Amino acid sequence: MDSEWSCSFYQYQYMNKTQVLKSLVLRQPKENLKRLHPVAQQKREQYSQIPEPLQYKTREESPFRVLRSQNGNLPVYKKYFVRSEVPRTVIRHIEGDVNEFVKELRKVCSNADVYEKVGRVEINGSHTMSVRKWLTQLGF
């Protein structure tokens, strides 16, 4: 028995940490869904839904427009508000049907909370890269 232990120990001696972790067999974590808080259960269901396909593929068929800033950049920013650890993604310079824009944005940001404010739209979390990619694919 000692020879088996020493053999396996020497086997791991020349591996780096990631190789050792990959070689170990770990059990799947148990999900205690019965004990979740109702708000946490609601958020889990919201974020785990299968996203719907996007309705608009080009700028011409979409009922909204996103204007670029004076420097030619997309007006998509990440902001940390007062006493908040979670960033918010802010999108400005939206023209046209803002409600349709919010519906499409929820599909892009995996059903994250989207807030309509005066002159801007805010999304909980850091979604700047995915929103910029989506807007450039639309042609804005």
Side-chain angles (χ1 to χ4, degrees), residues 22-36:
K22 285 181 182 178
S23 68
L24 296 175
V25 178
L26 301 175
R27 67 173 176 83
Q28 293 293 326
K30 294 192 296 185
E31 295 185 17
N32 295 329
L33 298 179
K34 296 177 186 175
R35 302 168 84 195
L36 273 180

Side-chain angles (χ1 to χ4, degrees), residues 7 42 45 58 93:
C7 181
Q42 181 185 6
E45 291 171 3
T58 62
H93 303 296

Side-chain angles (χ1 to χ4, degrees), residues 44-58:
R44 179 184 169 87
E45 291 171 3
Q46 176 185 355
Y47 293 136
S48 63
Q49 290 178 357
I50 298 172
E52 298 175 17
L54 295 174
Q55 186 175 356
Y56 307 108
K57 303 293 182 192
T58 62

Side-chain angles (χ1 to χ4, degrees), residues 85-106:
E85 296 176 1
V86 179
R88 277 196 178 176
T89 304
V90 179
I91 306 164
R92 299 176 56 217
H93 303 296
I94 304 165
E95 290 183 350
D97 193 358
V98 179
N99 293 329
E100 284 295 318
F101 179 75
V102 169
K103 285 180 189 176
E104 288 291 300
L105 195 59
R106 281 196 178 112

